[in-house]
């Protein structure tokens, strides 16, 4: 089955300069690795790993690739997706950008599917692209990070810096001085995950970063990320990235 969705995994050399240019269609871009500086409508912004952004059609822009190069997944959404986003008040002509580890998880699965070639691949690719667009829209609707209460950010940061420990709801509530029930409810409302699921995802994301950046044995990565064993890491990693840690490492 052919869906017509054209997805590119593009590589850019370190220090490369892309002179001002325009596209004749709106493009979505997910930064898989590296970084670059973009100038669009005289606005200069820095983009790095995990950024999912929009390049509006007929809009001049230029890019300066960073010292480590850049890897980007690029695709043009279908007209139905564009109309759906516009109908929900998302102004793609303003070149919005959001960053999330969830984008990277979906991107890794999409790269994996780009290497496949069976009767179902094109359908899976389009499904993942639509999931990326939906995740982007949710990030956009949730508002800026400043809308999250400071005490809730503290709770999130505490989880991110103590990922190797099993943190109970009561312990976290004591850290931020809020009732456990209120903490659990507000955390799910703002971050879309329970505290336990968020902690598990933080561990998996750290494991993914270690897999991308080095050659530590999987057993060592599992223990350093707070997993009880290599098997526990593999189970959680497959649930998040739809592939084993070894297969993920091969992509980078």
């Amino acid at each position: 089955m052919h869906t017509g969705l054209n997805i590119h995994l593009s590589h850019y050399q370190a220090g490369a300069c892309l002179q001002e240019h325009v596209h004749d269609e709106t493009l979505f871009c997910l930064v898989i690795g590296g970084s670059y500086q973009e100038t669009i409508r005289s606005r200069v912004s820095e983009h790095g790993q995990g950024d999912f952004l929009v390049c509006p059609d007929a809009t001049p822009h230029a890019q300066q690739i960073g010292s480590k190069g850049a890897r980007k997944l690029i695709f043009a959404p279908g007209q139905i997706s564009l109309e759906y986003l516009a109908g929900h008040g998302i102004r793609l002509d303003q070149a919005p950008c959001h960053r999330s580890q969830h984008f990277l998880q979906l991107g890794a699965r999409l790269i994996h599917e780009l290497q496949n070639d069976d009767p179902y691949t094109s359908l899976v690719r389009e499904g993942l692209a639509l999931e990326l667009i939906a995740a982007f829209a949710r990030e956009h609707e949730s508002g800026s990070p400043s809308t999250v209460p400071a005490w809730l950010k503290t709770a999130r940061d505490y989880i991110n810096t103590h990922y190797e420990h099993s943190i109970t709801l009561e312990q976290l509530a004591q850290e931020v001085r809020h009732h456990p029930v209120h903490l659990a409810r507000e955390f799910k409302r703002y971050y879309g995950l329970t505290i336990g699921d968020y902690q598990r995802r933080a561990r998996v994301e750290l494991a993914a970063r270690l897999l991308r950046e080095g050659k530590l044995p999987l057993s060592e990565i599992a223990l350093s990320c707070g997993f009880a064993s290599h098997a526990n890491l593999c189970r959680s990693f497959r649930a998040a990235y739809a592939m084993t840690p070894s297969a993920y490492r091969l992509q980078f």
Side-chain angles (χ1 to χ4, degrees), residues 106-163:
L106 293 172
R109 292 171 58 191
L110 192 47
I111 292 173
H112 180 68
E113 286 300 328
L114 289 176
Q115 299 167 352
N116 283 341
D117 187 16
D118 60 37
Y120 313 104
T121 296
S122 60
L123 185 61
V124 176
R125 291 175 187 172
E126 184 170 44
L128 288 169
L130 289 174
E131 195 170 348
L132 270 168
I133 294 173
F136 173 85
R138 283 175 172 165
E139 285 283 335
H140 196 81
E141 283 195 349
S142 66
S144 66
S146 61
T147 61
V148 180
W151 65 269
L152 203 54
K153 290 182 183 179
T154 300
R156 180 202 59 192
D157 293 343
Y158 187 86
I159 294 173
N160 288 338
T161 55
H162 295 81
Y163 51 80

Side-chain angles (χ1 to χ4, degrees), residues 139-215:
E139 285 283 335
H140 196 81
E141 283 195 349
S142 66
S144 66
S146 61
T147 61
V148 180
W151 65 269
L152 203 54
K153 290 182 183 179
T154 300
R156 180 202 59 192
D157 293 343
Y158 187 86
I159 294 173
N160 288 338
T161 55
H162 295 81
Y163 51 80
E164 73 277 16
H165 303 297
S166 294
I167 305 169
T168 67
L169 177 60
E170 289 71 20
Q171 288 173 331
L172 190 59
Q174 188 174 3
E175 282 290 329
V176 297
R177 298 183 179 181
H178 278 262
H179 192 278
V181 174
H182 180 60
L183 167 61
R185 183 177 62 245
E186 293 301 289
F187 196 97
K188 178 68 180 295
R189 183 164 80 93
Y190 278 97
Y191 295 115
L193 294 170
T194 65
I195 291 171
D197 286 340
Y198 186 91
Q199 184 178 37
R200 187 179 302 108
R201 191 178 76 172
R203 290 175 175 177
V204 170
E205 288 171 357
L206 174 62
R209 179 170 63 81
L210 294 176
L211 288 166
R212 292 193 302 269
E213 296 177 353
K215 296 183 178 179

Side-chain angles (χ1 to χ4, degrees), residues 78-91:
Q79 187 60 34
I80 293 177
S81 295
L82 293 175
E83 293 173 356
Y84 188 84
L85 294 174
H88 285 75
I90 299 178
R91 294 284 305 276

Side-chain angles (χ1 to χ4, degrees), residues 19 54 100 125 147 178 222 225 233:
Q19 300 295 334
V54 176
S100 170
R125 291 175 187 172
T147 61
H178 278 262
C225 295
L233 167 62

Side-chain angles (χ1 to χ4, degrees), residues 11-16 31 33-36 47 64-71:
H11 300 258
Y12 300 84
Q13 292 185 344
V31 184
S35 63
Y36 65 97
H47 297 300
Q64 178 65 50
I65 307 301
S67 60
K68 295 184 178 180
R71 297 172 71 224

